[in-house]
Amino acid sequence: MNQSFTQMLINYAPLLVLFVVGWFFGTRHERQHLAQLRQAEQTLGHIVVSSERFYRPKLAADTQGELVLGSVVIAQDYFKMIVARVLSIFGKNLTTYETLLDRARREAIVRMRTQAHAKGYNHVYGLRLEVTNVNQLGSMVEAIAYGTAVHSIDDTP
Protein backbone atom coordinates (compact mmCIF):
# COMPACT_ATOMS: atom_id res chain seq x y z
CA MET A 1 0.00 0.00 0.00
CA ASN A 2 2.84 2.37 0.77
CA GLN A 3 4.34 1.74 -2.65
CA SER A 4 1.06 2.53 -4.44
CA PHE A 5 0.75 5.82 -2.53
CA THR A 6 4.32 6.73 -3.48
CA GLN A 7 3.63 5.88 -7.10
CA MET A 8 0.47 7.99 -7.09
CA LEU A 9 2.37 10.89 -5.52
CA ILE A 10 5.07 10.65 -8.18
CA ASN A 11 2.46 10.60 -10.94
CA TYR A 12 0.30 13.48 -9.72
CA ALA A 13 2.76 15.74 -7.89
CA PRO A 14 3.97 17.53 -11.07
CA LEU A 15 0.36 18.21 -12.07
CA LEU A 16 -0.41 19.60 -8.64
CA VAL A 17 2.73 21.76 -8.64
CA LEU A 18 1.90 23.15 -12.10
CA PHE A 19 -1.63 23.90 -10.97
CA VAL A 20 -0.43 25.82 -7.90
CA VAL A 21 2.20 27.74 -9.90
CA GLY A 22 -0.37 28.63 -12.58
CA TRP A 23 -2.86 29.76 -9.94
CA PHE A 24 -0.19 31.91 -8.25
CA PHE A 25 0.91 33.69 -11.43
CA GLY A 26 -2.66 34.13 -12.69
CA THR A 27 -3.73 35.71 -9.40
CA ARG A 28 -0.63 37.92 -9.40
CA HIS A 29 -1.37 39.14 -12.93
CA GLU A 30 -5.00 39.84 -12.00
CA ARG A 31 -3.94 41.90 -8.97
CA GLN A 32 -1.49 43.89 -11.09
CA HIS A 33 -4.23 44.62 -13.62
CA LEU A 34 -6.61 45.77 -10.87
CA ALA A 35 -3.89 48.07 -9.46
CA GLN A 36 -3.31 49.55 -12.93
CA LEU A 37 -7.06 50.10 -13.30
CA ARG A 38 -7.25 51.91 -9.94
CA GLN A 39 -4.40 54.19 -10.96
CA ALA A 40 -5.91 54.93 -14.39
CA GLU A 41 -9.32 55.62 -12.83
CA GLN A 42 -7.76 58.12 -10.43
CA THR A 43 -5.82 59.79 -13.24
CA LEU A 44 -8.94 60.12 -15.40
CA GLY A 45 -11.26 60.96 -12.49
CA HIS A 46 -11.77 64.52 -13.74
CA ILE A 47 -13.78 63.19 -16.68
CA VAL A 48 -17.37 62.89 -15.48
CA VAL A 49 -19.22 59.82 -16.75
CA SER A 50 -22.99 59.62 -16.51
CA SER A 51 -25.23 56.75 -17.54
CA GLU A 52 -28.47 58.68 -17.13
CA ARG A 53 -30.60 58.46 -20.23
CA PHE A 54 -31.96 62.00 -20.45
CA TYR A 55 -29.18 63.86 -18.66
CA ARG A 56 -28.04 67.02 -20.45
CA PRO A 57 -24.96 68.75 -19.08
CA LYS A 58 -24.39 72.49 -19.52
CA LEU A 59 -22.29 72.64 -22.64
CA ALA A 60 -19.50 75.10 -23.33
CA ALA A 61 -19.97 77.42 -26.28
CA ASP A 62 -19.19 75.92 -29.68
CA THR A 63 -18.96 72.35 -28.47
CA GLN A 64 -20.45 69.36 -30.21
CA GLY A 65 -20.95 65.86 -28.93
CA GLU A 66 -18.80 63.09 -30.25
CA LEU A 67 -19.02 59.32 -29.83
CA VAL A 68 -16.21 57.85 -27.76
CA LEU A 69 -15.79 54.19 -27.06
CA GLY A 70 -13.49 51.75 -25.41
CA SER A 71 -13.39 48.04 -25.98
CA VAL A 72 -11.39 45.21 -24.50
CA VAL A 73 -11.22 41.43 -24.68
CA ILE A 74 -10.03 39.74 -21.50
CA ALA A 75 -9.36 36.04 -21.08
CA GLN A 76 -9.62 34.00 -17.91
CA ASP A 77 -6.76 31.67 -17.04
CA TYR A 78 -7.52 27.96 -17.25
CA PHE A 79 -6.75 27.29 -13.62
CA LYS A 80 -9.52 29.59 -12.45
CA MET A 81 -11.85 28.10 -15.05
CA ILE A 82 -11.32 24.67 -13.48
CA VAL A 83 -12.16 26.05 -10.04
CA ALA A 84 -15.26 27.76 -11.46
CA ARG A 85 -16.45 24.50 -13.04
CA VAL A 86 -16.07 22.69 -9.72
CA LEU A 87 -17.90 25.46 -7.85
CA SER A 88 -20.73 25.46 -10.41
CA ILE A 89 -21.38 21.79 -9.65
CA PHE A 90 -22.19 22.75 -6.07
CA GLY A 91 -24.13 25.90 -6.99
CA LYS A 92 -21.63 28.31 -5.46
CA ASN A 93 -20.95 31.90 -6.54
CA LEU A 94 -18.52 32.01 -9.43
CA THR A 95 -16.29 34.75 -8.07
CA THR A 96 -13.65 34.04 -10.70
CA TYR A 97 -16.10 35.07 -13.42
CA GLU A 98 -17.27 38.06 -11.38
CA THR A 99 -13.74 39.44 -11.24
CA LEU A 100 -13.28 38.76 -14.95
CA LEU A 101 -16.41 40.77 -15.82
CA ASP A 102 -15.47 43.54 -13.38
CA ARG A 103 -12.02 43.89 -14.91
CA ALA A 104 -13.44 43.92 -18.44
CA ARG A 105 -16.04 46.61 -17.68
CA ARG A 106 -13.59 48.82 -15.82
CA GLU A 107 -10.94 48.51 -18.54
CA ALA A 108 -13.47 49.41 -21.25
CA ILE A 109 -14.56 52.52 -19.31
CA VAL A 110 -10.93 53.55 -18.74
CA ARG A 111 -10.23 53.24 -22.47
CA MET A 112 -13.34 55.28 -23.28
CA ARG A 113 -12.28 57.98 -20.80
CA THR A 114 -8.78 57.97 -22.29
CA GLN A 115 -10.22 58.58 -25.74
CA ALA A 116 -12.39 61.42 -24.41
CA HIS A 117 -9.39 62.97 -22.63
CA ALA A 118 -7.24 62.73 -25.78
CA LYS A 119 -9.91 64.68 -27.70
CA GLY A 120 -10.15 67.38 -25.01
CA TYR A 121 -13.53 66.47 -23.53
CA ASN A 122 -14.32 66.52 -19.83
CA HIS A 123 -17.74 64.87 -19.74
CA VAL A 124 -19.22 61.65 -21.13
CA TYR A 125 -22.93 61.09 -20.83
CA GLY A 126 -25.27 58.38 -22.05
CA LEU A 127 -22.78 55.67 -21.07
CA ARG A 128 -23.71 52.21 -22.28
CA LEU A 129 -21.90 48.97 -21.50
CA GLU A 130 -22.15 45.76 -23.46
CA VAL A 131 -20.48 42.53 -22.43
CA THR A 132 -20.50 39.29 -24.38
CA ASN A 133 -18.73 35.93 -24.40
CA VAL A 134 -16.20 35.52 -27.16
CA ASN A 135 -15.96 31.73 -27.02
CA GLN A 136 -18.18 28.85 -25.97
CA LEU A 137 -16.24 28.08 -22.80
CA GLY A 138 -16.90 31.51 -21.31
CA SER A 139 -13.21 32.03 -20.68
CA MET A 140 -13.03 35.21 -22.79
CA VAL A 141 -15.33 38.22 -22.65
CA GLU A 142 -15.50 41.38 -24.70
CA ALA A 143 -16.66 44.58 -23.07
CA ILE A 144 -17.57 47.73 -24.97
CA ALA A 145 -18.26 51.07 -23.28
CA TYR A 146 -19.53 53.99 -25.34
CA GLY A 147 -21.11 57.37 -24.79
CA THR A 148 -21.33 60.96 -25.99
CA ALA A 149 -18.33 63.10 -25.06
CA VAL A 150 -18.71 66.88 -24.69
CA HIS A 151 -16.90 69.81 -23.15
CA SER A 152 -19.09 70.75 -20.23
CA ILE A 153 -19.14 73.77 -17.92
CA ASP A 154 -20.98 71.91 -15.14
CA ASP A 155 -19.49 72.25 -11.68
CA THR A 156 -20.29 68.65 -10.81
CA PRO A 157 -17.19 66.58 -10.05
Side-chain angles (χ1 to χ4, degrees):
M1 178 166 163
N2 190 18
Q3 188 178 11
S4 65
F5 178 73
T6 306
Q7 187 65 30
M8 185 176 76
L9 190 62
I10 290 171
N11 287 341
Y12 293 112
L15 180 65
L16 184 62
V17 168
L18 286 175
F19 185 80
V20 169
V21 168
W23 181 273
F24 171 76
F25 283 108
T27 303
R28 185 173 141 220
H29 175 70
E30 184 177 285
R31 286 184 183 152
Q32 288 174 345
H33 187 227
L34 288 171
Q36 290 171 351
L37 283 173
R38 272 191 297 277
Q39 182 180 5
E41 287 169 343
Q42 287 177 353
T43 303
L44 298 168
H46 66 281
I47 298 176
V48 179
V49 177
S50 172
S51 62
E52 296 178 30
R53 186 172 181 180
F54 297 109
Y55 177 72
R56 297 196 59 121
K58 295 177 187 171
L59 301 179
D62 298 330
T63 187
Q64 293 183 356
E66 184 176 346
L67 177 70
V68 289
L69 69 95
S71 78
V72 65
V73 176
I74 296 184
Q76 183 76 287
D77 61 58
Y78 286 106
F79 304 103
K80 289 189 179 182
M81 280 180 44
I82 292 169
V83 171
R85 301 257 176 187
V86 171
L87 290 176
S88 70
I89 292 171
F90 299 107
K92 299 290 183 179
N93 287 342
L94 303 180
T95 56
T96 57
Y97 287 130
E98 290 173 4
T99 57
L100 175 70
L101 291 173
D102 180 51
R103 287 172 46 212
R105 287 184 194 118
R106 288 173 62 187
E107 179 71 32
I109 291 172
V110 162
R111 291 183 181 190
M112 179 195 66
R113 279 181 158 177
T114 302
Q115 186 180 24
H117 177 70
K119 294 181 178 188
Y121 297 113
N122 67 347
H123 200 114
V124 177
Y125 68 99
L127 170 70
R128 296 293 177 258
L129 279 167
E130 296 186 24
V131 179
T132 185
N133 284 336
V134 174
N135 63 355
Q136 299 254 340
L137 297 174
S139 63
M140 288 187 285
V141 294
E142 178 185 23
I144 299 172
Y146 58 94
T148 304
V150 294
H151 187 72
S152 171
I153 55 173
D154 278 346
D155 292 334
T156 56

